[in-house]
Amino acid sequence: MSDSDYFSIVESTHDVQNPISPAKLREVAEHLEIGAGDRVLDVGAGRGWWAAELAAMGAEVVGLENNEEFVRAARDRAAASGLTDRVRHVHGPALEFEPEPGGYAVATCLGASFALGGFRASMEWMVAALVEHGRFAIGDVHSVDGSSTEELPSLIELVHVAEEFDVEVTGLVSASLDDWDRYESGQWKNAHTWARRNPEHPDRERVLGDSRRFRNDYLTRERGSLGWSVLIGERR
Ligand SMILES: C[S@@+](CC[C@H](N)C(=O)[O-])C[C@H]1O[C@@H](n2cnc3c(N)ncnc32)[C@H](O)[C@@H]1O
C-alpha cells in the first residue's frame, strides 16, 4: 500500500486535510482579497475544498494534485457546487506543471510544500508564477516555542525564508491545539472505521498499525510542540 492509498483512507472524510479549520481558511481567503476573475494556482489541492471555496468567491482556480482519488473527489465537489467552469484539477506531480510565469494573481500551497521540494523551493516556484503585487498563502509546520532545529523551523525563520523572494509577509493564521486534535482524531477514526468495514483486506493490519503509530507519535512528541500556520503575503 502506497502513502497515497493510506491517506486516501485516513483523510476520506476531511474537507480540509490539514490541522486548521474551514473558518480559519476563510480568514485566509479574506486576507488574500480573492476577487472575481482572479487566477489562482493551488498546489497540493487535496480533495478540493479550498479550490471550491475560492471559485465560489469568483476566482478561476487551477488545483495541482498527485493523488488520483483526491482529484476525483475534488472534481466531484466542483461539479456538485456548479463550479466546473471556474475550477480545473490537474492530476500529476506539481513539479510537472509549468505555470505561466507572472500568470497568476494568487498562488497557494497548504501543507504541500514537499511537493515542490520544501518551503524555500515552494516560495521561489510560487512567486515566479505571480503577477506583480500578486498574493500568496503558504501553510506549513513549525516549532511553537520559537526555537528552530534541522527538522523544524521557527515561524520567524519561515518568514525570513519567504522574504528572500521579494515578497512582504502581511498575515498569519495559525492552527490551535483544538484544530490539531480534530485533524488527528479524524484520521484515527477513519482508519478504525475502514478496518471494521474491510475485515479481510490484506492491508488492514498495516493501516491500523500505521494509524496507531502516528497517533502515539502525536501524543508523545508532537502535540503542543508542533505548530501549523499559514503565512500570507504579497509580491513587492
Ligand atoms: C496535507 S495535504 C493538503 C491538501 C490540501 N491543500 C488541504 O489543505 O486540504 C497534501 C496534499 O499534497 C498532495 N501531494 C503530495 N505530493 C504531491 C505532488 N508531488 N504533487 C502534487 N500534489 C502532491 C497530497 O496528495 C495531498 O493531497
Side-chain angles (χ1 to χ4, degrees):
M1 170 174 278
S2 66
D3 284 355
S4 196
D5 291 338
Y6 175 79
F7 282 100
S8 294
I9 293 169
V10 302
E11 294 188 343
S12 59
T13 60
H14 290 64
D15 273 341
V16 178
Q17 297 166 253
N18 273 306
I20 197 151
S21 63
K24 285 186 184 171
L25 286 185
R26 288 194 185 102
E27 287 176 33
V28 174
E30 198 178 313
H31 196 101
L32 284 169
E33 296 185 348
I34 298 295
D38 275 347
R39 291 184 78 203
V40 180
L41 191 54
D42 183 34
V43 179
R47 302 173 73 247
W49 180 88
W50 175 241
E53 193 69 16
L54 302 187
M57 297 170 82
E60 290 169 15
V61 189
V62 176
L64 309 179
E65 173 55 54
N66 211 15
N67 179 320
E68 196 171 4
E69 207 164 314
F70 291 164
V71 172
R72 208 174 307 122
R75 287 178 181 154
D76 287 350
R77 185 193 299 270
S81 311
L83 293 167
T84 43
D85 55 336
R86 288 212 291 277
V87 184
R88 183 163 70 94
H89 286 286
V90 179
H91 177 221
L95 278 174
E96 284 185 6
F97 182 84
E98 290 180 16
E100 181 192 332
Y104 292 84
V106 178
T108 66
C109 178
L110 304 176
S113 63
F114 53 87
L116 295 173
F119 187 90
R120 180 176 271 108
S122 297
M123 282 305 305
E124 186 172 14
W125 192 93
M126 290 200 299
V127 171
L130 287 177
V131 296
E132 201 181 340
H133 304 307
R135 294 92 74 201
F136 71 90
I138 181 164
D140 220 330
V141 287
H142 57 83
S143 69
V144 289
D145 63 0
S147 66
S148 69
T149 63
E150 214 167 287
E151 304 85 58
L152 214 54
S154 64
L155 207 38
I156 187 65
E157 202 168 39
L158 290 182
V159 171
H160 287 151
V161 172
E163 291 188 341
E164 286 172 17
F165 298 97
D166 205 28
V167 301
E168 184 84 19
V169 172
T170 61
L172 171 72
V173 177
S174 290
S176 67
L177 202 52
D178 283 350
D179 293 328
W180 269 105
D181 288 349
R182 191 183 323 106
Y183 171 65
E184 295 284 334
S185 301
Q187 294 195 351
W188 311 337
K189 185 177 176 189
N190 287 340
H192 184 75
T193 304
W194 177 86
R196 178 162 38 73
R197 289 181 184 156
N198 294 277
E200 307 300 333
H201 197 289
D203 292 320
R204 183 178 183 278
E205 289 312 310
R206 187 181 152 199
V207 168
L208 281 175
D210 282 355
S211 170
R212 290 185 190 120
R213 185 164 51 80
F214 287 136
R215 179 197 64 193
N216 295 349
D217 284 350
Y218 175 68
L219 296 174
T220 315
R221 295 187 282 110
E222 296 168 350
R223 188 173 187 273
S225 62
L226 208 55
W228 197 93
S229 296
V230 183
L231 296 179
I232 312 157
E234 188 175 318
R235 190 175 160 186
R236 291 201 184 99

